[in-house]
Amino acid sequence: KLPLESIQVVLEELRKNGNLEWLDKNKTSFLIMWRRPEEWGKLIYQWVSKNGLTNSVFTLYELTSGDDTENEEFHGLDETMLLRALQALQQEHKAEIITLDDGRGVKFF
């Protein structure tokens, strides 16, 4: 067991490294991330590039649950984290999140 002050130091370090996000202003609830969204985006884009899939459109379901990604680390990734990863790629002009008839998708560049 750690004293409260030590726990706060650990949590603050995780936040500084981008692996923790406070969910409330009182800092009583937080999200700990195995990888930062930018890291997930990099993994996804590496897979897209490696497989020659730039200029392709995918549904979010295809990326996290499709047969083609079954052996990838991002397979099964939570949709909220997937969207954050894709937003990071969008900021780098490597992807664009789009709205499809049956949900959301992404086009990679």
Side-chain angles (χ1 to χ4, degrees):
K1 290 187 170 186
L2 289 175
L4 182 59
E5 296 83 23
S6 298
I7 293 171
Q8 289 171 336
V9 168
V10 170
L11 295 177
E12 181 58 23
E13 280 302 309
L14 286 169
R15 188 198 63 77
K16 284 180 187 176
N17 291 331
N19 295 99
L20 180 140
E21 182 178 302
W22 292 108
L23 298 176
D24 63 348
K25 291 181 181 183
N26 296 328
K27 297 184 178 182
T28 58
S29 183
F30 53 87
L31 172 68
I32 293 183
M33 298 173 269
W34 166 255
R35 287 192 168 102
R36 295 186 319 259
E38 298 80 13
E39 293 170 323
W40 283 117
K42 184 177 179 181
L43 283 174
I44 293 167
Y45 197 77
Q46 285 173 347
W47 174 79
V48 168
S49 298
K50 177 178 72 177
N51 291 290
L53 298 169
T54 53
N55 294 316
S56 298
V57 175
F58 293 90
T59 64
L60 301 188
Y61 178 84
E62 287 175 309
L63 287 175
T64 59
S65 302
D67 293 339
D68 294 338
T69 63
E70 203 167 48
N71 296 320
E72 301 301 322
E73 291 184 62
F74 56 87
H75 188 85
L77 188 63
D78 175 72
E79 187 174 319
T80 302
M81 186 56 68
L82 175 63
L83 281 170
R84 289 180 181 195
L86 296 175
Q87 288 167 347
L89 288 175
Q90 190 167 267
Q91 288 178 343
E92 296 176 20
H93 306 289
K94 293 181 177 179
E96 180 181 352
I97 299 169
I98 55 176
T99 301
L100 303 169
D101 291 340
D102 56 348
R104 290 191 202 168
V106 60
K107 180 174 182 175
F108 293 101
F109 304 111

